[in-house]
Amino acid sequence: MLSVHTSPLHQPGTGDAGGMNVYIVELARRLADLGIEVEIFTRATTGGLPPAVDLAPGVLVRHVDAGPYEGLAKEDLPAQLCAFTHGVMQAWAGHRPGYYDLVHSHYWLSGHVGWLAAERWGVPLVHAMHTMAKVKNAALAEGDTPEPAARVIGETQIVRAADRLIANTAEEGDELVRHYEADPRKVAVVHPGVNLDRFRPLGSTPSGEAAAQDQPRNPGHTPGTGLTAARTAARARLGLPQDALIPLFAGRIQPLKAPDILLRAVAVLLAEEPELRSRVVVPVVGGPSGTGMAKPEGLQKLAARLGIADVVRFRPPVGQDRLADWYRAASVLVMPSYSESFGLVAIEAQACGTPVLAAAVGGLPVAVRDGETGFLVEGHDPADYARMLRRFVPEPGAADPAGTLVARMGAAAARHAQSFGWDTAAARTADVYQAAMQERRRLRSAHAAHGHG
């Protein structure tokens, strides 16, 4: 596997580390469980890193020296691809011929290294875009910087070179065909997964039984009661009020993810219902990233300008277990993104029993069942988000302090998330690998036979 611009060992939610990091780590682990050994090549971003680190049994992370360790923006990485490729080839030279069976590259920068490596080694290239320049540029946030033409050209070349393209959703597969003229036969749809052992309502049984307690199987049993207890406990652990509306933003702080839309929506809500101010807490968990780096304090200043600095709580990125607690504590996760290839955060939150309010973009309509596990909003008008947030305001004295809608949708969300386990994603990815290798063998045989004739 190739992950040039972000290391699977980095903390998601800051810099360029996000859902893709989680994706690579979890997928590699589960592929190793299936007996597929994985080596992940990534760029060294600090000095003194060991050349190779065991991430898990059967998963090795290799650090490649390419460019300065720190202070190198993602936009400057294309100039380092030659050095990175050299590092990959050096590692390969130390192995017997035929050591690597297949290359799986993540994001366009890795795709260029993968293209060369796969060709050099005579193995298939499987590529996952994760995001696409043409799709991002078609839905830019106001004031955000468009992706450069060099990336568009690079992505087009990779689409042509790859043996297989993995898309997170059917819509992403269609975009590959529409925007990049991908051969539909090369495109395989594999939904990303979620770690159901980590992201679950606390008190539930790991992996597979997360929502069982919320099924109304016994007379007198109320759906969502287990979730209510989990939410109450999480709020206590995080020092959050029990009877508050808590809309959570979790992720990288950049215009693409649109955390400002949540703040503007809360300002609209409080302007219309000022009595709610004492019962609203808005946690923003994450660090500046991408074009958001230019104004790292921008969101704090916006909260002050909107007059809601007293209800917003900024928190740095946290580890996965702590993040699960933030999900459990929230009334609703808010994802007003302008573009999302899938929206892993939406599945993680739902697995914890929390509904999602999201923009109807990219893979989010697959991740969220509109009206059942959350709500999808067309466009980015803060007033539309405010109107939806109002539905999650708990009634004073309600059985569930977070509100009955939260309890009902949260139970449905936890059930829905069960179909997104990483084991399923890994098995389907392994099928894609198998198909790519079989086709490569078939073409080689046909070529040899033709040459012989």
Side-chain angles (χ1 to χ4, degrees):
M1 281 194 192
L2 298 166
S3 179
V4 172
H5 81 283
T6 179
S7 168
L9 304 176
H10 285 170
Q11 165 68 58
T14 187
D16 288 317
M20 192 177 107
N21 296 61
V22 176
Y23 181 106
I24 292 170
V25 168
E26 295 288 354
L27 180 62
R29 285 176 187 271
R30 305 307 165 108
L31 286 172
D33 290 344
L34 295 174
I36 298 171
E37 284 190 61
V38 182
E39 289 191 10
I40 305 168
F41 288 79
T42 192
R43 197 178 79 84
T45 51
T46 51
L49 287 172
V53 176
D54 285 310
L55 179 69
V59 183
L60 187 73
V61 175
R62 290 187 180 275
H63 293 117
V64 179
D65 284 330
Y69 292 128
E70 290 168 21
L72 193 67
K74 190 162 65 174
E75 293 70 32
D76 298 325
L77 282 174
Q80 300 301 329
L81 292 184
C82 188
F84 190 92
T85 305
H86 175 255
V88 172
M89 291 301 164
Q90 269 192 316
W92 168 69
H95 294 302
R96 58 170 171 74
Y99 182 78
Y100 295 114
D101 299 298
L102 177 136
V103 177
H104 185 173
S105 52
H106 298 270
Y107 193 69
W108 78 279
L109 293 168
S110 302
H112 270 262
V113 180
W115 176 15
L116 196 148
E119 210 156 272
R120 179 75 181 84
W121 304 340
V123 301
L125 172 64
V126 174
H127 181 72
M129 284 287 202
H130 292 281
T131 61
M132 291 176 262
K134 286 186 178 181
V135 175
K136 285 178 82 170
N137 287 348
L140 270 189
E142 195 180 327
D144 205 0
T145 313
E147 293 295 319
R151 176 175 172 185
V152 175
I153 295 164
E155 288 177 343
T156 306
Q157 291 169 327
I158 294 156
V159 166
R160 204 172 298 137
D163 294 77
R164 285 289 186 281
L165 295 158
I166 289 184
N168 286 327
T169 61
E171 188 193 8
E172 189 184 337
D174 292 342
E175 287 167 344
L176 279 163
V177 175
R178 189 166 70 249
H179 292 305
Y180 294 89
E181 296 175 9
D183 180 345
R185 292 168 301 180
K186 283 186 181 181
V187 179
V189 176
V190 180
H191 294 322
V194 62
N195 185 330
L196 297 169
D197 295 335
R198 174 176 284 131
F199 297 104
R200 60 189 174 94
L202 270 191
S204 64
T205 310
S207 234
E209 297 299 319
Q213 61 185 325
D214 301 305
Q215 305 275 9
R217 289 179 186 158
N218 306 323
H221 180 82
T222 310
T225 49
L227 296 178
T228 302
R231 190 172 296 107
T232 302
R235 288 187 175 192
R237 282 191 295 274
L238 292 167
L240 297 167
Q242 290 295 342
D243 61 346
L245 168 68
I246 302 181
L248 167 70
F249 176 87
R252 288 174 291 158
I253 296 172
Q254 61 184 123
L256 178 77
K257 302 290 184 185
D260 63 297
I261 301 293
L262 169 58
L263 298 197
R264 293 177 200 280
V266 169
V268 171
L269 180 64
L270 294 183
E272 291 173 354
E273 300 187 37
E275 69 279 3
L276 283 178
R277 185 173 284 270
S278 62
R279 296 174 55 217
V280 173
V281 176
V282 186
V284 175
V285 181
S289 170
T291 51
M293 293 286 209
K295 299 176 183 171
E297 302 298 314
L299 212 56
Q300 282 92 330
K301 288 175 180 172
L302 177 65
R305 270 203 316 278
L306 293 170
I308 59 165
D310 55 318
V311 301
V312 184
R313 296 190 186 177
F314 290 97
R315 296 288 182 268
V318 292
Q320 297 273 284
D321 291 327
R322 189 71 165 170
L323 181 60
D325 242 10
W326 279 107
Y327 290 144
R328 293 181 195 108
S331 311
V332 58
L333 174 82
V334 185
M335 288 187 78
S337 308
Y338 284 90
S339 175
E340 284 286 349
S341 64
F342 188 66
L344 215 46
V345 170
I347 294 292
E348 291 173 352
Q350 289 175 94
C352 292
T354 298
V356 177
L357 172 58
V361 300
L364 287 170
V366 175
V368 181
R369 283 189 182 158
D370 190 23
E372 187 183 335
T373 70
F375 294 111
L376 295 170
V377 178
E378 295 288 344
H380 297 85
D381 185 342
D384 293 336
Y385 285 85
R387 192 164 58 250
M388 287 303 183
L389 282 177
R390 190 176 290 108
R391 299 180 67 168
F392 290 100
V393 175
E395 291 293 322
D400 183 339
T404 48
L405 180 70
V406 175
R408 190 175 72 249
M409 283 194 155
R415 286 193 291 272
H416 172 56
Q418 293 305 301
S419 60
F420 290 94
W422 272 115
D423 290 340
T424 308
R428 287 182 182 159
T429 302
D431 290 342
V432 175
Y433 291 172
Q434 199 65 45
M437 289 166 67
Q438 281 172 350
E439 186 173 311
R440 177 60 68 112
R441 279 196 292 269
R442 195 164 55 246
L443 289 172
R444 198 178 287 134
S445 303
H447 185 71
H450 183 69
H452 180 71

